[in-house]
Amino acid sequence: MSLDRSQFGVGLLATLAALTVAAASPAHLEPTSSSERQWHLQYLKAAQAHNLNQGKNVIVAVLDTGVTPHPDLADNLLKGADLIQGGTSAGQIDSNGHGTGMAGLIGATGHGGSVQGIAPQSKILPVVVTPPNGRGDPDVLAEGIDFAISQGAKVISISSVGGASPRLVQAIRTATAANITIVAAAGNRPEDAFVGYPAVEEAVIAVGGIDRTGEHAAVSVAGPEIDVVAPAVDIYSTGLNGGYRVGTGTSDATAIVAGAAALIRSKYPNLPAQEVAHRLTATAVDKGPPGRDDQYGYGVIDLVAALTADVPPLGFESSNVTPPASAEAAPEKGDDSSATVRGLATLGVLVAAGGGYLFWRRRRRADDPPPRVSR
């Protein structure tokens, strides 16, 4: 996959300026109604999804500008790390507001009265990898990924694009080997012409954006690496000083998809990371030309379908083979007494079927048939 810049340059990460192109003042905002505040929750049927799962027992690492304490995050903000200043803030400091906004989209509880995240029972691990000016070093991002691995994160959310370094590439591979779901922003126009790093990595879920009408957001870049899309325009979330912010960009869409991944990882705790990504793409609502396309990827994430659909495991989606019952995803404890260890079951089934899917096979060719999904 080629970029218009060197993947292995030591160049700076172009993050906040590119990925959140319109942000409100960190002062308190008072929208007129709940639906106007967070239109994306209604669009994605989040309330229905929350009746199924809310992300309990899943740590989501937010690699960004930090996360300042906020009433809507008081119940689930963990102590993280500040890899820029090296201070004692434990990641709970944010003079920019970007990271705090991303955290709210993932895990805000709504107990403060205004904002609810996609996975309100998840835990947010704040990791400062980007300075307030939005320019960071890929090696620092790599350090943040390594820290997230050490703290037991199941999902890593990266709302940034930029150059790569050997250390960053290795960190992503290490996280993948550790069964961690990585979600990253595709990038924003006009600053970005192509899908940026690390979203171009095969093991990373690359996120594009849609607007309020469900159409491709003009700000979102397109490309063959796009996996799924989510709301990215006028997104209301937590901000500085206990206030709120409104942002537009693939940063916000990325945080929303990271929340969706947390829901899946909570409901199906034994599901391997690559199957989490597969579940997101297999249940996405197709947009644009039939099948995968460069604007929408596999489509708009569907929270309810991702938690309920009968999704054949990787390797069965483009064949007529029906996976045996042992290959079904293991639900969370208490869901079903017939739960099995999903990772081992899937591996066993795939080996029995020929063993050809022990690698990441999430991005199918455009001419491959879509996966079979029961709704």
Side-chain angles (χ1 to χ4, degrees), residues 39-40 43-45 207-211 213-217 226-232 253 256-257 260 279-288 291 293 295-306 375:
W39 68 268
H40 66 280
Y43 185 91
L44 296 173
K45 298 180 174 59
V207 181
I210 56 170
D211 60 21
T213 68
E215 300 303 312
H216 175 71
I226 298 291
D227 290 308
V228 292
V229 292
I256 290 169
V257 173
R279 181 165 279 269
L280 280 170
T281 58
T283 58
V285 178
D286 192 22
K287 299 281 289 185
D293 65 82
Q295 285 192 329
Y296 299 99
Y298 291 103
V300 183
I301 60 167
D302 186 329
L303 301 179
V304 176
R375 299 197 182 218

CSV table of all heavy atoms in Angstrom, one decimal, residues 39-40 43-45 207-211 213-217 226-232 253 256-257 260 279-288 291 293 295-306 375:
chain,number,residue,atom,x,y,z
A,39,TRP,N,-26.7,13.0,17.7
A,39,TRP,CA,-27.5,12.4,16.7
A,39,TRP,C,-27.0,11.1,16.3
A,39,TRP,O,-27.8,10.2,15.8
A,39,TRP,CB,-27.6,13.4,15.4
A,39,TRP,CG,-26.3,13.5,14.7
A,39,TRP,CD1,-25.3,14.5,14.9
A,39,TRP,CD2,-25.8,12.7,13.7
A,39,TRP,NE1,-24.3,14.3,14.0
A,39,TRP,CE2,-24.5,13.2,13.3
A,39,TRP,CE3,-26.3,11.5,13.0
A,39,TRP,CZ2,-23.8,12.6,12.2
A,39,TRP,CZ3,-25.5,10.9,12.0
A,39,TRP,CH2,-24.3,11.5,11.6
A,40,HIS,N,-25.7,10.9,16.4
A,40,HIS,CA,-25.1,9.6,16.0
A,40,HIS,C,-25.7,8.4,16.8
A,40,HIS,O,-25.7,7.3,16.4
A,40,HIS,CB,-23.6,9.6,16.1
A,40,HIS,CG,-23.0,9.8,17.4
A,40,HIS,ND1,-23.0,11.0,18.1
A,40,HIS,CD2,-22.5,8.8,18.3
A,40,HIS,CE1,-22.4,10.8,19.3
A,40,HIS,NE2,-22.1,9.5,19.4
A,43,TYR,N,-28.9,7.5,15.2
A,43,TYR,CA,-28.6,6.9,13.9
A,43,TYR,C,-28.2,5.5,14.0
A,43,TYR,O,-28.5,4.6,13.2
A,43,TYR,CB,-27.6,7.8,13.2
A,43,TYR,CG,-27.3,7.4,11.8
A,43,TYR,CD1,-28.1,7.9,10.7
A,43,TYR,CD2,-26.3,6.4,11.5
A,43,TYR,CE1,-27.8,7.5,9.4
A,43,TYR,CE2,-26.1,6.0,10.2
A,43,TYR,CZ,-26.8,6.5,9.2
A,43,TYR,OH,-26.6,6.1,7.9
A,44,LEU,N,-27.3,5.2,15.0
A,44,LEU,CA,-26.7,3.9,15.2
A,44,LEU,C,-27.6,3.0,16.1
A,44,LEU,O,-27.2,1.8,16.4
A,44,LEU,CB,-25.3,4.0,15.7
A,44,LEU,CG,-24.3,4.7,14.8
A,44,LEU,CD1,-23.0,4.9,15.6
A,44,LEU,CD2,-24.1,3.9,13.5
A,45,LYS,N,-28.7,3.4,16.5
A,45,LYS,CA,-29.6,2.7,17.4
A,45,LYS,C,-28.8,2.2,18.7
A,45,LYS,O,-28.9,1.0,19.1
A,45,LYS,CB,-30.2,1.5,16.7
A,45,LYS,CG,-31.1,1.9,15.5
A,45,LYS,CD,-31.7,0.7,14.8
A,45,LYS,CE,-32.7,1.0,13.8
A,45,LYS,NZ,-32.2,1.9,12.7
A,207,VAL,N,-11.0,3.5,9.5
A,207,VAL,CA,-12.4,4.1,9.7
A,207,VAL,C,-12.5,5.4,8.8
A,207,VAL,O,-11.7,6.3,9.0
A,207,VAL,CB,-12.7,4.4,11.1
A,207,VAL,CG1,-14.1,5.0,11.3
A,207,VAL,CG2,-12.5,3.2,12.0
A,208,GLY,N,-13.5,5.4,8.0
A,208,GLY,CA,-13.9,6.6,7.3
A,208,GLY,C,-15.2,7.2,7.9
A,208,GLY,O,-15.7,6.7,8.9
A,209,GLY,N,-15.7,8.3,7.3
A,209,GLY,CA,-16.9,8.9,7.9
A,209,GLY,C,-18.1,9.1,7.0
A,209,GLY,O,-18.0,9.2,5.8
A,210,ILE,N,-19.2,9.3,7.7
A,210,ILE,CA,-20.5,9.6,7.0
A,210,ILE,C,-21.0,10.9,7.6
A,210,ILE,O,-20.7,11.2,8.8
A,210,ILE,CB,-21.5,8.5,7.0
A,210,ILE,CG1,-21.8,8.1,8.5
A,210,ILE,CG2,-21.1,7.3,6.2
A,210,ILE,CD1,-23.0,7.2,8.6
A,211,ASP,N,-22.0,11.6,6.9
A,211,ASP,CA,-22.6,12.8,7.5
A,211,ASP,C,-24.0,12.4,8.1
A,211,ASP,O,-24.3,11.2,8.2
A,211,ASP,CB,-22.7,13.8,6.4
A,211,ASP,CG,-23.6,13.4,5.2
A,211,ASP,OD1,-24.4,12.4,5.3
A,211,ASP,OD2,-23.4,14.0,4.1
A,213,THR,N,-26.9,12.5,6.9
A,213,THR,CA,-27.8,11.8,6.0
A,213,THR,C,-27.3,10.4,5.8
A,213,THR,O,-28.0,9.6,5.1
A,213,THR,CB,-27.9,12.6,4.7
A,213,THR,OG1,-26.6,12.5,4.0
A,213,THR,CG2,-28.2,14.0,4.9
A,214,GLY,N,-26.2,10.0,6.3
A,214,GLY,CA,-25.7,8.6,6.1
A,214,GLY,C,-24.9,8.5,4.8
A,214,GLY,O,-24.5,7.4,4.4
A,215,GLU,N,-24.6,9.7,4.2
A,215,GLU,CA,-23.8,9.6,3.0
A,215,GLU,C,-22.3,9.9,3.3
A,215,GLU,O,-22.0,10.4,4.4
A,215,GLU,CB,-24.3,10.7,2.0
A,215,GLU,CG,-25.7,10.5,1.5
A,215,GLU,CD,-26.0,9.1,0.9
A,215,GLU,OE1,-25.1,8.7,0.0
A,215,GLU,OE2,-26.9,8.4,1.3
A,216,HIS,N,-21.4,9.6,2.4
A,216,HIS,CA,-20.0,9.8,2.6
A,216,HIS,C,-19.7,11.3,3.0
A,216,HIS,O,-20.2,12.2,2.3
A,216,HIS,CB,-19.3,9.5,1.2
A,216,HIS,CG,-17.8,9.8,1.3
A,216,HIS,ND1,-16.9,9.1,2.0
A,216,HIS,CD2,-17.1,10.8,0.7
A,216,HIS,CE1,-15.7,9.6,1.8
A,216,HIS,NE2,-15.8,10.6,1.0
A,217,ALA,N,-19.0,11.5,4.1
A,217,ALA,CA,-18.7,12.8,4.6
A,217,ALA,C,-17.6,13.4,3.7
A,217,ALA,O,-16.6,12.7,3.4
A,217,ALA,CB,-18.2,12.7,6.0
A,226,ILE,N,-10.1,1.4,3.4
A,226,ILE,CA,-11.2,1.7,4.3
A,226,ILE,C,-12.0,0.4,4.6
A,226,ILE,O,-12.3,-0.4,3.7
A,226,ILE,CB,-12.2,2.7,3.7
A,226,ILE,CG1,-11.5,4.1,3.4
A,226,ILE,CG2,-13.5,2.9,4.5
A,226,ILE,CD1,-11.2,4.8,4.7
A,227,ASP,N,-12.2,0.2,5.9
A,227,ASP,CA,-13.0,-1.0,6.3
A,227,ASP,C,-14.4,-0.7,6.6
A,227,ASP,O,-15.3,-1.4,6.1
A,227,ASP,CB,-12.3,-1.7,7.5
A,227,ASP,CG,-11.0,-2.3,7.2
A,227,ASP,OD1,-10.9,-3.1,6.3
A,227,ASP,OD2,-10.0,-1.9,7.9
A,228,VAL,N,-14.7,0.2,7.4
A,228,VAL,CA,-16.0,0.6,7.8
A,228,VAL,C,-16.1,2.1,8.0
A,228,VAL,O,-15.1,2.8,8.0
A,228,VAL,CB,-16.5,0.0,9.1
A,228,VAL,CG1,-16.6,-1.5,9.0
A,228,VAL,CG2,-15.5,0.3,10.3
A,229,VAL,N,-17.3,2.6,8.0
A,229,VAL,CA,-17.5,4.1,8.3
A,229,VAL,C,-18.5,4.3,9.4
A,229,VAL,O,-19.2,3.3,9.8
A,229,VAL,CB,-18.1,4.8,7.0
A,229,VAL,CG1,-17.0,4.8,5.9
A,229,VAL,CG2,-19.4,4.1,6.5
A,230,ALA,N,-18.4,5.5,10.0
A,230,ALA,CA,-19.3,5.8,11.1
A,230,ALA,C,-19.6,7.3,11.1
A,230,ALA,O,-18.9,8.0,10.4
A,230,ALA,CB,-18.6,5.4,12.5
A,231,PRO,N,-20.5,7.8,11.9
A,231,PRO,CA,-20.8,9.2,11.9
A,231,PRO,C,-19.6,10.1,12.2
A,231,PRO,O,-18.8,9.7,13.1
A,231,PRO,CB,-21.9,9.4,13.0
A,231,PRO,CG,-22.6,8.1,12.9
A,231,PRO,CD,-21.5,7.1,12.6
A,232,ALA,N,-19.4,11.2,11.4
A,232,ALA,CA,-18.2,12.0,11.5
A,232,ALA,C,-18.4,13.5,11.4
A,232,ALA,O,-17.5,14.2,11.3
A,232,ALA,CB,-17.2,11.5,10.4
A,253,ALA,N,-15.3,9.5,14.1
A,253,ALA,CA,-15.8,8.2,13.6
A,253,ALA,C,-15.0,7.0,14.2
A,253,ALA,O,-15.5,5.9,14.5
A,253,ALA,CB,-15.8,8.2,12.1
A,256,ILE,N,-16.0,6.2,17.7
A,256,ILE,CA,-17.3,5.5,17.7
A,256,ILE,C,-17.1,4.0,17.4
A,256,ILE,O,-17.7,3.1,18.0
A,256,ILE,CB,-18.3,6.2,16.7
A,256,ILE,CG1,-18.7,7.6,17.3
A,256,ILE,CG2,-19.5,5.3,16.5
A,256,ILE,CD1,-19.4,8.4,16.3
A,257,VAL,N,-16.3,3.7,16.4
A,257,VAL,CA,-16.0,2.3,16.0
A,257,VAL,C,-15.3,1.6,17.1
A,257,VAL,O,-15.5,0.4,17.4
A,257,VAL,CB,-15.3,2.3,14.7
A,257,VAL,CG1,-14.8,0.9,14.3
A,257,VAL,CG2,-16.1,2.8,13.5
A,260,ALA,N,-17.8,0.5,19.4
A,260,ALA,CA,-18.4,-0.7,18.9
A,260,ALA,C,-17.6,-2.0,19.1
A,260,ALA,O,-18.1,-3.0,19.4
A,260,ALA,CB,-18.7,-0.5,17.4
A,279,ARG,N,-16.5,-9.3,12.4
A,279,ARG,CA,-17.9,-9.1,12.8
A,279,ARG,C,-18.4,-7.7,12.4
A,279,ARG,O,-19.5,-7.5,12.0
A,279,ARG,CB,-18.0,-9.5,14.3
A,279,ARG,CG,-19.5,-9.3,14.8
A,279,ARG,CD,-19.6,-10.0,16.1
A,279,ARG,NE,-19.8,-11.4,16.0
A,279,ARG,CZ,-21.0,-12.0,15.9
A,279,ARG,NH1,-22.1,-11.3,15.9
A,279,ARG,NH2,-21.1,-13.3,15.7
A,280,LEU,N,-17.5,-6.7,12.6
A,280,LEU,CA,-17.8,-5.4,12.3
A,280,LEU,C,-18.1,-5.2,10.8
A,280,LEU,O,-19.0,-4.6,10.3
A,280,LEU,CB,-16.7,-4.4,12.7
A,280,LEU,CG,-16.7,-4.0,14.2
A,280,LEU,CD1,-15.4,-3.3,14.5
A,280,LEU,CD2,-17.9,-3.2,14.5
A,281,THR,N,-17.2,-5.8,10.0
A,281,THR,CA,-17.3,-5.6,8.5
A,281,THR,C,-18.4,-6.5,7.9
A,281,THR,O,-19.2,-6.0,7.0
A,281,THR,CB,-16.0,-6.0,7.8
A,281,THR,OG1,-15.6,-7.3,8.1
A,281,THR,CG2,-14.9,-5.0,8.2
A,282,ALA,N,-18.6,-7.7,8.5
A,282,ALA,CA,-19.6,-8.6,8.0
A,282,ALA,C,-21.1,-8.1,8.3
A,282,ALA,O,-22.0,-8.4,7.5
A,282,ALA,CB,-19.5,-10.0,8.6
A,283,THR,N,-21.2,-7.3,9.3
A,283,THR,CA,-22.6,-6.8,9.7
A,283,THR,C,-22.8,-5.4,9.3
A,283,THR,O,-23.9,-4.9,9.5
A,283,THR,CB,-22.8,-7.0,11.2
A,283,THR,OG1,-21.8,-6.2,11.9
A,283,THR,CG2,-22.8,-8.4,11.6
A,284,ALA,N,-21.8,-4.8,8.7
A,284,ALA,CA,-22.0,-3.3,8.3
A,284,ALA,C,-23.1,-3.2,7.2
A,284,ALA,O,-23.3,-4.1,6.4
A,284,ALA,CB,-20.7,-2.8,7.7
A,285,VAL,N,-23.7,-2.1,7.2
A,285,VAL,CA,-24.8,-1.8,6.3
A,285,VAL,C,-24.2,-1.3,5.0
A,285,VAL,O,-23.6,-0.2,5.0
A,285,VAL,CB,-25.8,-0.7,6.9
A,285,VAL,CG1,-26.9,-0.4,5.8
A,285,VAL,CG2,-26.4,-1.2,8.2
A,286,ASP,N,-24.4,-2.0,3.9
A,286,ASP,CA,-23.7,-1.7,2.7
A,286,ASP,C,-24.2,-0.3,2.1
A,286,ASP,O,-25.4,0.0,2.2
A,286,ASP,CB,-24.0,-2.8,1.6
A,286,ASP,CG,-23.2,-2.7,0.4
A,286,ASP,OD1,-22.1,-2.0,0.5
A,286,ASP,OD2,-23.6,-3.2,-0.6
A,287,LYS,N,-23.3,0.5,1.7
A,287,LYS,CA,-23.6,1.8,1.1
A,287,LYS,C,-22.8,1.9,-0.3
A,287,LYS,O,-21.8,1.2,-0.5
A,287,LYS,CB,-23.1,2.9,2.0
A,287,LYS,CG,-23.8,2.9,3.4
A,287,LYS,CD,-25.2,3.5,3.3
A,287,LYS,CE,-25.2,5.0,3.1
A,287,LYS,NZ,-26.5,5.6,3.1
A,288,GLY,N,-23.3,2.8,-1.1
A,288,GLY,CA,-22.6,3.0,-2.4
A,288,GLY,C,-22.8,1.8,-3.3
A,288,GLY,O,-23.8,1.1,-3.2
A,291,GLY,N,-21.4,-4.2,-2.4
A,291,GLY,CA,-20.1,-4.8,-2.0
A,291,GLY,C,-19.2,-3.7,-1.5
A,291,GLY,O,-19.6,-2.5,-1.3
A,293,ASP,N,-16.5,-0.8,-1.2
A,293,ASP,CA,-16.0,0.3,-2.1
A,293,ASP,C,-15.1,1.2,-1.3
A,293,ASP,O,-15.0,1.1,-0.1
A,293,ASP,CB,-17.2,1.1,-2.7
A,293,ASP,CG,-18.0,1.8,-1.6
A,293,ASP,OD1,-17.6,2.9,-1.2
A,293,ASP,OD2,-19.1,1.3,-1.2
A,295,GLN,N,-15.2,4.4,-0.6
A,295,GLN,CA,-15.7,5.5,0.2
A,295,GLN,C,-16.3,4.9,1.5
A,295,GLN,O,-16.1,5.5,2.6
A,295,GLN,CB,-16.9,6.2,-0.5
A,295,GLN,CG,-16.4,7.2,-1.6
A,295,GLN,CD,-17.5,8.1,-2.1
A,295,GLN,OE1,-18.6,7.8,-2.1
A,295,GLN,NE2,-17.1,9.3,-2.4
A,296,TYR,N,-17.0,3.8,1.4
A,296,TYR,CA,-17.7,3.3,2.6
A,296,TYR,C,-17.1,2.0,3.2
A,296,TYR,O,-17.5,1.5,4.2
A,296,TYR,CB,-19.2,3.0,2.3
A,296,TYR,CG,-20.0,4.2,1.8
A,296,TYR,CD1,-20.2,4.4,0.5
A,296,TYR,CD2,-20.5,5.0,2.8
A,296,TYR,CE1,-20.9,5.5,0.1
A,296,TYR,CE2,-21.3,6.1,2.3
A,296,TYR,CZ,-21.5,6.4,1.0
A,296,TYR,OH,-22.2,7.5,0.6
A,297,GLY,N,-16.1,1.5,2.5
A,297,GLY,CA,-15.6,0.2,2.9
A,297,GLY,C,-16.7,-0.9,2.8
A,297,GLY,O,-17.3,-0.9,1.8
A,298,TYR,N,-16.9,-1.6,3.8
A,298,TYR,CA,-17.9,-2.6,3.8
A,298,TYR,C,-19.3,-2.0,4.2
A,298,TYR,O,-20.3,-2.7,4.2
A,298,TYR,CB,-17.6,-3.8,4.7
A,298,TYR,CG,-16.5,-4.6,4.2
A,298,TYR,CD1,-15.2,-4.5,4.7
A,298,TYR,CD2,-16.7,-5.5,3.1
A,298,TYR,CE1,-14.1,-5.3,4.1
A,298,TYR,CE2,-15.7,-6.2,2.5
A,298,TYR,CZ,-14.4,-6.1,3.1
A,298,TYR,OH,-13.3,-6.8,2.5
A,299,GLY,N,-19.2,-0.7,4.7
A,299,GLY,CA,-20.5,-0.1,5.0
A,299,GLY,C,-20.4,0.6,6.4
A,299,GLY,O,-19.4,0.7,7.0
A,300,VAL,N,-21.6,1.1,6.8
A,300,VAL,CA,-21.8,1.8,8.1
A,300,VAL,C,-21.9,0.7,9.2
A,300,VAL,O,-22.7,-0.2,9.1
A,300,VAL,CB,-23.0,2.7,8.1
A,300,VAL,CG1,-23.2,3.4,9.4
A,300,VAL,CG2,-23.0,3.6,6.9
A,301,ILE,N,-21.2,0.9,10.3
A,301,ILE,CA,-21.3,-0.1,11.4
A,301,ILE,C,-22.8,-0.2,11.9
A,301,ILE,O,-23.5,0.8,11.9
A,301,ILE,CB,-20.4,0.3,12.6
A,301,ILE,CG1,-20.7,1.7,13.1
A,301,ILE,CG2,-18.9,0.2,12.2
A,301,ILE,CD1,-20.1,2.0,14.5
A,302,ASP,N,-23.1,-1.4,12.2
A,302,ASP,CA,-24.5,-1.7,12.7
A,302,ASP,C,-24.3,-2.3,14.1
A,302,ASP,O,-23.9,-3.5,14.2
A,302,ASP,CB,-25.2,-2.7,11.8
A,302,ASP,CG,-26.6,-2.9,12.2
A,302,ASP,OD1,-26.9,-2.9,13.4
A,302,ASP,OD2,-27.4,-3.2,11.3
A,303,LEU,N,-24.5,-1.5,15.2
A,303,LEU,CA,-24.2,-2.0,16.5
A,303,LEU,C,-25.0,-3.2,16.9
A,303,LEU,O,-24.5,-4.2,17.5
A,303,LEU,CB,-24.5,-0.9,17.5
A,303,LEU,CG,-23.7,0.4,17.3
A,303,LEU,CD1,-24.1,1.4,18.4
A,303,LEU,CD2,-22.2,0.2,17.4
A,304,VAL,N,-26.3,-3.2,16.6
A,304,VAL,CA,-27.2,-4.3,17.0
A,304,VAL,C,-26.9,-5.5,16.2
A,304,VAL,O,-26.7,-6.6,16.8
A,304,VAL,CB,-28.7,-3.9,16.8
A,304,VAL,CG1,-29.6,-5.0,17.1
A,304,VAL,CG2,-29.1,-2.7,17.6
A,305,ALA,N,-26.7,-5.4,14.9
A,305,ALA,CA,-26.3,-6.6,14.2
A,305,ALA,C,-25.0,-7.2,14.6
A,305,ALA,O,-24.8,-8.4,14.6
A,305,ALA,CB,-26.3,-6.3,12.7
A,306,ALA,N,-24.0,-6.3,14.9
A,306,ALA,CA,-22.7,-6.8,15.4
A,306,ALA,C,-22.8,-7.6,16.6
A,306,ALA,O,-21.9,-8.4,16.9
A,306,ALA,CB,-21.8,-5.6,15.5
A,375,ARG,N,-30.0,-12.0,10.4
A,375,ARG,CA,-30.4,-10.9,11.3
A,375,ARG,C,-31.6,-11.3,12.0
A,375,ARG,O,-32.4,-12.0,11.5
A,375,ARG,CB,-30.5,-9.6,10.5
A,375,ARG,CG,-29.2,-9.3,9.8
A,375,ARG,CD,-29.2,-7.8,9.4
A,375,ARG,NE,-28.0,-7.5,8.7
A,375,ARG,CZ,-27.4,-6.3,8.8
A,375,ARG,NH1,-27.9,-5.4,9.6
A,375,ARG,NH2,-26.3,-6.1,8.1
